[in-house]
Amino acid sequence: MVNLNGNVSFRQGDLSLKSQRAVWYRTAGQVVFIDSVRIEDSTQTLTADRVTYNKNSGKTIADGNVVLVSKKEEAEISGNHGEYDRTKKYVMVTGSPLLTIKPDKGDSTIK
């Protein structure tokens, strides 16, 4: 286990993961990002208070002020908890989920 503090940054392929703190469980291939978490690739951006990322499976679990923005779909989904599987392209958001399509244009909101 490795504790990282202050402007933490990881990179895996086109995926950029940043936060203020992180705990890296090297043998498990898992990193827990804490405080001001931002994960970004070429198609989307995820922000949250806390994110657990598994490097081996590509699965992400996010908690607290979760916001996922899809650049391609021009959509934003937010809630208290989110799960994302990069391999399966699967997203689930719970805890007062809110979907906004084309958020910059103010088009549609679904609760």
PDB file of all heavy atoms in Angstrom, residues 58-88:
ATOM      1  N   GLY A  58     -10.714  -2.217 -15.104  1.00  0.00           N
ATOM      2  CA  GLY A  58     -11.188  -0.975 -15.710  1.00  0.00           C
ATOM      3  C   GLY A  58     -12.454  -0.445 -15.070  1.00  0.00           C
ATOM      4  O   GLY A  58     -13.064   0.498 -15.556  1.00  0.00           O
ATOM      5  N   LYS A  59     -12.864  -1.049 -13.948  1.00  0.00           N
ATOM      6  CA  LYS A  59     -14.086  -0.618 -13.263  1.00  0.00           C
ATOM      7  C   LYS A  59     -13.798   0.529 -12.310  1.00  0.00           C
ATOM      8  O   LYS A  59     -12.766   0.570 -11.658  1.00  0.00           O
ATOM      9  CB  LYS A  59     -14.712  -1.780 -12.507  1.00  0.00           C
ATOM     10  CG  LYS A  59     -15.270  -2.843 -13.423  1.00  0.00           C
ATOM     11  CD  LYS A  59     -15.922  -3.954 -12.644  1.00  0.00           C
ATOM     12  CE  LYS A  59     -16.436  -5.011 -13.605  1.00  0.00           C
ATOM     13  NZ  LYS A  59     -17.027  -6.147 -12.882  1.00  0.00           N
ATOM     14  N   THR A  60     -14.760   1.448 -12.242  1.00  0.00           N
ATOM     15  CA  THR A  60     -14.655   2.622 -11.393  1.00  0.00           C
ATOM     16  C   THR A  60     -15.904   2.718 -10.522  1.00  0.00           C
ATOM     17  O   THR A  60     -17.014   2.567 -11.022  1.00  0.00           O
ATOM     18  CB  THR A  60     -14.544   3.897 -12.259  1.00  0.00           C
ATOM     19  OG1 THR A  60     -13.412   3.780 -13.100  1.00  0.00           O
ATOM     20  CG2 THR A  60     -14.431   5.137 -11.421  1.00  0.00           C
ATOM     21  N   ILE A  61     -15.721   2.986  -9.234  1.00  0.00           N
ATOM     22  CA  ILE A  61     -16.837   3.235  -8.323  1.00  0.00           C
ATOM     23  C   ILE A  61     -16.623   4.619  -7.729  1.00  0.00           C
ATOM     24  O   ILE A  61     -15.564   4.902  -7.168  1.00  0.00           O
ATOM     25  CB  ILE A  61     -16.911   2.170  -7.217  1.00  0.00           C
ATOM     26  CG1 ILE A  61     -17.162   0.793  -7.838  1.00  0.00           C
ATOM     27  CG2 ILE A  61     -18.006   2.526  -6.207  1.00  0.00           C
ATOM     28  CD1 ILE A  61     -17.105  -0.345  -6.868  1.00  0.00           C
ATOM     29  N   ALA A  62     -17.617   5.502  -7.894  1.00  0.00           N
ATOM     30  CA  ALA A  62     -17.504   6.888  -7.448  1.00  0.00           C
ATOM     31  C   ALA A  62     -18.570   7.198  -6.406  1.00  0.00           C
ATOM     32  O   ALA A  62     -19.708   6.739  -6.517  1.00  0.00           O
ATOM     33  CB  ALA A  62     -17.662   7.822  -8.642  1.00  0.00           C
ATOM     34  N   ASP A  63     -18.183   7.991  -5.403  1.00  0.00           N
ATOM     35  CA  ASP A  63     -19.115   8.388  -4.356  1.00  0.00           C
ATOM     36  C   ASP A  63     -18.981   9.870  -4.033  1.00  0.00           C
ATOM     37  O   ASP A  63     -17.879  10.405  -4.009  1.00  0.00           O
ATOM     38  CB  ASP A  63     -18.850   7.572  -3.080  1.00  0.00           C
ATOM     39  CG  ASP A  63     -19.305   6.141  -3.226  1.00  0.00           C
ATOM     40  OD1 ASP A  63     -20.520   5.934  -3.380  1.00  0.00           O
ATOM     41  OD2 ASP A  63     -18.454   5.234  -3.200  1.00  0.00           O
ATOM     42  N   GLY A  64     -20.137  10.501  -3.778  1.00  0.00           N
ATOM     43  CA  GLY A  64     -20.163  11.896  -3.369  1.00  0.00           C
ATOM     44  C   GLY A  64     -20.031  12.867  -4.522  1.00  0.00           C
ATOM     45  O   GLY A  64     -18.995  12.917  -5.160  1.00  0.00           O
ATOM     46  N   ASN A  65     -21.078  13.608  -4.799  1.00  0.00           N
ATOM     47  CA  ASN A  65     -21.069  14.639  -5.851  1.00  0.00           C
ATOM     48  C   ASN A  65     -20.547  14.106  -7.178  1.00  0.00           C
ATOM     49  O   ASN A  65     -19.685  14.698  -7.813  1.00  0.00           O
ATOM     50  CB  ASN A  65     -20.252  15.849  -5.406  1.00  0.00           C
ATOM     51  CG  ASN A  65     -20.809  16.486  -4.170  1.00  0.00           C
ATOM     52  OD1 ASN A  65     -21.979  16.853  -4.133  1.00  0.00           O
ATOM     53  ND2 ASN A  65     -20.001  16.593  -3.132  1.00  0.00           N
ATOM     54  N   VAL A  66     -21.094  12.984  -7.599  1.00  0.00           N
ATOM     55  CA  VAL A  66     -20.658  12.329  -8.834  1.00  0.00           C
ATOM     56  C   VAL A  66     -21.247  13.043 -10.045  1.00  0.00           C
ATOM     57  O   VAL A  66     -22.448  13.279 -10.116  1.00  0.00           O
ATOM     58  CB  VAL A  66     -21.102  10.848  -8.843  1.00  0.00           C
ATOM     59  CG1 VAL A  66     -20.712  10.170 -10.144  1.00  0.00           C
ATOM     60  CG2 VAL A  66     -20.530  10.112  -7.642  1.00  0.00           C
ATOM     61  N   VAL A  67     -20.383  13.401 -10.995  1.00  0.00           N
ATOM     62  CA  VAL A  67     -20.818  14.010 -12.246  1.00  0.00           C
ATOM     63  C   VAL A  67     -20.039  13.353 -13.387  1.00  0.00           C
ATOM     64  O   VAL A  67     -18.810  13.362 -13.387  1.00  0.00           O
ATOM     65  CB  VAL A  67     -20.577  15.539 -12.276  1.00  0.00           C
ATOM     66  CG1 VAL A  67     -21.003  16.121 -13.616  1.00  0.00           C
ATOM     67  CG2 VAL A  67     -21.304  16.221 -11.138  1.00  0.00           C
ATOM     68  N   LEU A  68     -20.765  12.782 -14.351  1.00  0.00           N
ATOM     69  CA  LEU A  68     -20.152  12.189 -15.529  1.00  0.00           C
ATOM     70  C   LEU A  68     -20.617  12.967 -16.747  1.00  0.00           C
ATOM     71  O   LEU A  68     -21.820  13.097 -16.988  1.00  0.00           O
ATOM     72  CB  LEU A  68     -20.543  10.714 -15.666  1.00  0.00           C
ATOM     73  CG  LEU A  68     -20.007   9.997 -16.907  1.00  0.00           C
ATOM     74  CD1 LEU A  68     -18.487   9.873 -16.837  1.00  0.00           C
ATOM     75  CD2 LEU A  68     -20.647   8.625 -17.046  1.00  0.00           C
ATOM     76  N   VAL A  69     -19.672  13.515 -17.495  1.00  0.00           N
ATOM     77  CA  VAL A  69     -19.986  14.289 -18.691  1.00  0.00           C
ATOM     78  C   VAL A  69     -19.507  13.510 -19.908  1.00  0.00           C
ATOM     79  O   VAL A  69     -18.324  13.169 -20.017  1.00  0.00           O
ATOM     80  CB  VAL A  69     -19.301  15.677 -18.656  1.00  0.00           C
ATOM     81  CG1 VAL A  69     -19.572  16.438 -19.945  1.00  0.00           C
ATOM     82  CG2 VAL A  69     -19.771  16.474 -17.452  1.00  0.00           C
ATOM     83  N   SER A  70     -20.438  13.226 -20.823  1.00  0.00           N
ATOM     84  CA  SER A  70     -20.105  12.560 -22.079  1.00  0.00           C
ATOM     85  C   SER A  70     -19.931  13.627 -23.148  1.00  0.00           C
ATOM     86  O   SER A  70     -20.879  14.338 -23.485  1.00  0.00           O
ATOM     87  CB  SER A  70     -21.215  11.588 -22.489  1.00  0.00           C
ATOM     88  OG  SER A  70     -20.979  11.104 -23.799  1.00  0.00           O
ATOM     89  N   LYS A  71     -18.715  13.739 -23.660  1.00  0.00           N
ATOM     90  CA  LYS A  71     -18.440  14.748 -24.687  1.00  0.00           C
ATOM     91  C   LYS A  71     -19.143  14.403 -25.990  1.00  0.00           C
ATOM     92  O   LYS A  71     -19.697  15.272 -26.660  1.00  0.00           O
ATOM     93  CB  LYS A  71     -16.934  14.862 -24.900  1.00  0.00           C
ATOM     94  CG  LYS A  71     -16.193  15.304 -23.645  1.00  0.00           C
ATOM     95  CD  LYS A  71     -14.704  15.153 -23.793  1.00  0.00           C
ATOM     96  CE  LYS A  71     -14.013  15.392 -22.457  1.00  0.00           C
ATOM     97  NZ  LYS A  71     -12.598  15.095 -22.498  1.00  0.00           N
ATOM     98  N   LYS A  72     -19.150  13.129 -26.345  1.00  0.00           N
ATOM     99  CA  LYS A  72     -19.755  12.675 -27.601  1.00  0.00           C
ATOM    100  C   LYS A  72     -21.274  12.843 -27.585  1.00  0.00           C
ATOM    101  O   LYS A  72     -21.862  13.324 -28.543  1.00  0.00           O
ATOM    102  CB  LYS A  72     -19.392  11.214 -27.839  1.00  0.00           C
ATOM    103  CG  LYS A  72     -19.960  10.647 -29.107  1.00  0.00           C
ATOM    104  CD  LYS A  72     -19.573   9.197 -29.280  1.00  0.00           C
ATOM    105  CE  LYS A  72     -20.212   8.612 -30.513  1.00  0.00           C
ATOM    106  NZ  LYS A  72     -19.956   7.179 -30.645  1.00  0.00           N
ATOM    107  N   GLU A  73     -21.909  12.422 -26.488  1.00  0.00           N
ATOM    108  CA  GLU A  73     -23.371  12.473 -26.387  1.00  0.00           C
ATOM    109  C   GLU A  73     -23.890  13.850 -25.964  1.00  0.00           C
ATOM    110  O   GLU A  73     -25.101  14.062 -25.936  1.00  0.00           O
ATOM    111  CB  GLU A  73     -23.866  11.422 -25.391  1.00  0.00           C
ATOM    112  CG  GLU A  73     -23.437  10.010 -25.712  1.00  0.00           C
ATOM    113  CD  GLU A  73     -24.011   9.495 -27.011  1.00  0.00           C
ATOM    114  OE1 GLU A  73     -25.121   9.920 -27.403  1.00  0.00           O
ATOM    115  OE2 GLU A  73     -23.341   8.672 -27.648  1.00  0.00           O
ATOM    116  N   GLU A  74     -22.976  14.742 -25.581  1.00  0.00           N
ATOM    117  CA  GLU A  74     -23.355  16.056 -25.066  1.00  0.00           C
ATOM    118  C   GLU A  74     -24.373  15.908 -23.935  1.00  0.00           C
ATOM    119  O   GLU A  74     -25.429  16.531 -23.928  1.00  0.00           O
ATOM    120  CB  GLU A  74     -23.906  16.947 -26.170  1.00  0.00           C
ATOM    121  CG  GLU A  74     -22.881  17.279 -27.244  1.00  0.00           C
ATOM    122  CD  GLU A  74     -23.416  18.260 -28.264  1.00  0.00           C
ATOM    123  OE1 GLU A  74     -23.827  19.363 -27.859  1.00  0.00           O
ATOM    124  OE2 GLU A  74     -23.421  17.918 -29.458  1.00  0.00           O
ATOM    125  N   ALA A  75     -24.028  15.038 -22.983  1.00  0.00           N
ATOM    126  CA  ALA A  75     -24.928  14.753 -21.861  1.00  0.00           C
ATOM    127  C   ALA A  75     -24.139  14.742 -20.560  1.00  0.00           C
ATOM    128  O   ALA A  75     -22.937  14.494 -20.550  1.00  0.00           O
ATOM    129  CB  ALA A  75     -25.613  13.414 -22.073  1.00  0.00           C
ATOM    130  N   GLU A  76     -24.865  15.005 -19.477  1.00  0.00           N
ATOM    131  CA  GLU A  76     -24.279  14.999 -18.144  1.00  0.00           C
ATOM    132  C   GLU A  76     -25.219  14.238 -17.224  1.00  0.00           C
ATOM    133  O   GLU A  76     -26.422  14.460 -17.242  1.00  0.00           O
ATOM    134  CB  GLU A  76     -24.115  16.439 -17.660  1.00  0.00           C
ATOM    135  CG  GLU A  76     -23.624  16.567 -16.234  1.00  0.00           C
ATOM    136  CD  GLU A  76     -23.529  18.021 -15.814  1.00  0.00           C
ATOM    137  OE1 GLU A  76     -22.692  18.743 -16.378  1.00  0.00           O
ATOM    138  OE2 GLU A  76     -24.306  18.422 -14.937  1.00  0.00           O
ATOM    139  N   ILE A  77     -24.657  13.319 -16.425  1.00  0.00           N
ATOM    140  CA  ILE A  77     -25.452  12.604 -15.442  1.00  0.00           C
ATOM    141  C   ILE A  77     -24.780  12.780 -14.085  1.00  0.00           C
ATOM    142  O   ILE A  77     -23.562  12.707 -13.979  1.00  0.00           O
ATOM    143  CB  ILE A  77     -25.650  11.115 -15.806  1.00  0.00           C
ATOM    144  CG1 ILE A  77     -26.639  10.473 -14.850  1.00  0.00           C
ATOM    145  CG2 ILE A  77     -24.333  10.385 -15.866  1.00  0.00           C
ATOM    146  CD1 ILE A  77     -27.178   9.140 -15.323  1.00  0.00           C
ATOM    147  N   SER A  78     -25.592  13.079 -13.079  1.00  0.00           N
ATOM    148  CA  SER A  78     -25.037  13.313 -11.743  1.00  0.00           C
ATOM    149  C   SER A  78     -25.854  12.554 -10.706  1.00  0.00           C
ATOM    150  O   SER A  78     -26.999  12.169 -10.950  1.00  0.00           O
ATOM    151  CB  SER A  78     -25.021  14.808 -11.427  1.00  0.00           C
ATOM    152  OG  SER A  78     -26.338  15.325 -11.459  1.00  0.00           O
ATOM    153  N   GLY A  79     -25.241  12.334  -9.546  1.00  0.00           N
ATOM    154  CA  GLY A  79     -25.906  11.639  -8.455  1.00  0.00           C
ATOM    155  C   GLY A  79     -24.945  11.473  -7.292  1.00  0.00           C
ATOM    156  O   GLY A  79     -23.840  12.025  -7.290  1.00  0.00           O
ATOM    157  N   ASN A  80     -25.343  10.685  -6.309  1.00  0.00           N
ATOM    158  CA  ASN A  80     -24.516  10.483  -5.117  1.00  0.00           C
ATOM    159  C   ASN A  80     -23.560   9.305  -5.252  1.00  0.00           C
ATOM    160  O   ASN A  80     -22.554   9.244  -4.562  1.00  0.00           O
ATOM    161  CB  ASN A  80     -25.399  10.277  -3.883  1.00  0.00           C
ATOM    162  CG  ASN A  80     -26.209  11.507  -3.570  1.00  0.00           C
ATOM    163  OD1 ASN A  80     -25.736  12.619  -3.737  1.00  0.00           O
ATOM    164  ND2 ASN A  80     -27.437  11.321  -3.141  1.00  0.00           N
ATOM    165  N   HIS A  81     -23.887   8.352  -6.145  1.00  0.00           N
ATOM    166  CA  HIS A  81     -23.065   7.153  -6.322  1.00  0.00           C
ATOM    167  C   HIS A  81     -23.063   6.775  -7.799  1.00  0.00           C
ATOM    168  O   HIS A  81     -24.092   6.849  -8.465  1.00  0.00           O
ATOM    169  CB  HIS A  81     -23.644   5.998  -5.492  1.00  0.00           C
ATOM    170  CG  HIS A  81     -22.929   4.701  -5.676  1.00  0.00           C
ATOM    171  ND1 HIS A  81     -21.776   4.385  -4.990  1.00  0.00           N
ATOM    172  CD2 HIS A  81     -23.186   3.655  -6.492  1.00  0.00           C
ATOM    173  CE1 HIS A  81     -21.371   3.183  -5.361  1.00  0.00           C
ATOM    174  NE2 HIS A  81     -22.212   2.714  -6.278  1.00  0.00           N
ATOM    175  N   GLY A  82     -21.912   6.363  -8.290  1.00  0.00           N
ATOM    176  CA  GLY A  82     -21.830   5.942  -9.681  1.00  0.00           C
ATOM    177  C   GLY A  82     -20.894   4.766  -9.864  1.00  0.00           C
ATOM    178  O   GLY A  82     -19.919   4.607  -9.117  1.00  0.00           O
ATOM    179  N   GLU A  83     -21.209   3.925 -10.849  1.00  0.00           N
ATOM    180  CA  GLU A  83     -20.352   2.808 -11.220  1.00  0.00           C
ATOM    181  C   GLU A  83     -20.167   2.833 -12.722  1.00  0.00           C
ATOM    182  O   GLU A  83     -21.131   3.058 -13.463  1.00  0.00           O
ATOM    183  CB  GLU A  83     -20.980   1.488 -10.773  1.00  0.00           C
ATOM    184  CG  GLU A  83     -21.133   1.404  -9.274  1.00  0.00           C
ATOM    185  CD  GLU A  83     -21.737   0.095  -8.799  1.00  0.00           C
ATOM    186  OE1 GLU A  83     -21.720  -0.896  -9.568  1.00  0.00           O
ATOM    187  OE2 GLU A  83     -22.220   0.072  -7.658  1.00  0.00           O
ATOM    188  N   TYR A  84     -18.923   2.606 -13.149  1.00  0.00           N
ATOM    189  CA  TYR A  84     -18.617   2.667 -14.568  1.00  0.00           C
ATOM    190  C   TYR A  84     -17.662   1.541 -14.935  1.00  0.00           C
ATOM    191  O   TYR A  84     -16.666   1.318 -14.249  1.00  0.00           O
ATOM    192  CB  TYR A  84     -17.995   4.027 -14.919  1.00  0.00           C
ATOM    193  CG  TYR A  84     -17.543   4.142 -16.349  1.00  0.00           C
ATOM    194  CD1 TYR A  84     -18.425   3.925 -17.396  1.00  0.00           C
ATOM    195  CD2 TYR A  84     -16.233   4.478 -16.657  1.00  0.00           C
ATOM    196  CE1 TYR A  84     -18.008   4.036 -18.706  1.00  0.00           C
ATOM    197  CE2 TYR A  84     -15.807   4.600 -17.979  1.00  0.00           C
ATOM    198  CZ  TYR A  84     -16.704   4.369 -18.992  1.00  0.00           C
ATOM    199  OH  TYR A  84     -16.301   4.468 -20.282  1.00  0.00           O
ATOM    200  N   ASP A  85     -17.984   0.833 -15.991  1.00  0.00           N
ATOM    201  CA  ASP A  85     -17.135  -0.237 -16.504  1.00  0.00           C
ATOM    202  C   ASP A  85     -16.668   0.179 -17.894  1.00  0.00           C
ATOM    203  O   ASP A  85     -17.468   0.195 -18.836  1.00  0.00           O
ATOM    204  CB  ASP A  85     -17.924  -1.549 -16.559  1.00  0.00           C
ATOM    205  CG  ASP A  85     -17.078  -2.738 -16.928  1.00  0.00           C
ATOM    206  OD1 ASP A  85     -16.172  -2.592 -17.783  1.00  0.00           O
ATOM    207  OD2 ASP A  85     -17.311  -3.822 -16.368  1.00  0.00           O
ATOM    208  N   ARG A  86     -15.404   0.539 -18.010  1.00  0.00           N
ATOM    209  CA  ARG A  86     -14.856   1.005 -19.302  1.00  0.00           C
ATOM    210  C   ARG A  86     -14.905  -0.075 -20.366  1.00  0.00           C
ATOM    211  O   ARG A  86     -15.131   0.206 -21.533  1.00  0.00           O
ATOM    212  CB  ARG A  86     -13.400   1.454 -19.147  1.00  0.00           C
ATOM    213  CG  ARG A  86     -13.241   2.763 -18.468  1.00  0.00           C
ATOM    214  CD  ARG A  86     -11.810   3.238 -18.538  1.00  0.00           C
ATOM    215  NE  ARG A  86     -11.600   3.915 -19.804  1.00  0.00           N
ATOM    216  CZ  ARG A  86     -10.415   4.157 -20.340  1.00  0.00           C
ATOM    217  NH1 ARG A  86      -9.327   3.764 -19.746  1.00  0.00           N
ATOM    218  NH2 ARG A  86     -10.316   4.794 -21.476  1.00  0.00           N
ATOM    219  N   THR A  87     -14.686  -1.324 -19.977  1.00  0.00           N
ATOM    220  CA  THR A  87     -14.673  -2.428 -20.934  1.00  0.00           C
ATOM    221  C   THR A  87     -16.051  -2.656 -21.536  1.00  0.00           C
ATOM    222  O   THR A  87     -16.193  -2.806 -22.743  1.00  0.00           O
ATOM    223  CB  THR A  87     -14.190  -3.730 -20.245  1.00  0.00           C
ATOM    224  OG1 THR A  87     -12.939  -3.467 -19.604  1.00  0.00           O
ATOM    225  CG2 THR A  87     -14.034  -4.849 -21.236  1.00  0.00           C
ATOM    226  N   LYS A  88     -17.068  -2.666 -20.691  1.00  0.00           N
ATOM    227  CA  LYS A  88     -18.437  -2.923 -21.143  1.00  0.00           C
ATOM    228  C   LYS A  88     -19.176  -1.654 -21.546  1.00  0.00           C
ATOM    229  O   LYS A  88     -20.307  -1.724 -22.021  1.00  0.00           O
ATOM    230  CB  LYS A  88     -19.217  -3.643 -20.046  1.00  0.00           C
ATOM    231  CG  LYS A  88     -18.676  -5.015 -19.736  1.00  0.00           C
ATOM    232  CD  LYS A  88     -19.468  -5.669 -18.636  1.00  0.00           C
ATOM    233  CE  LYS A  88     -18.897  -7.030 -18.288  1.00  0.00           C
ATOM    234  NZ  LYS A  88     -19.616  -7.658 -17.179  1.00  0.00           N
TER     235      LYS A  88
END
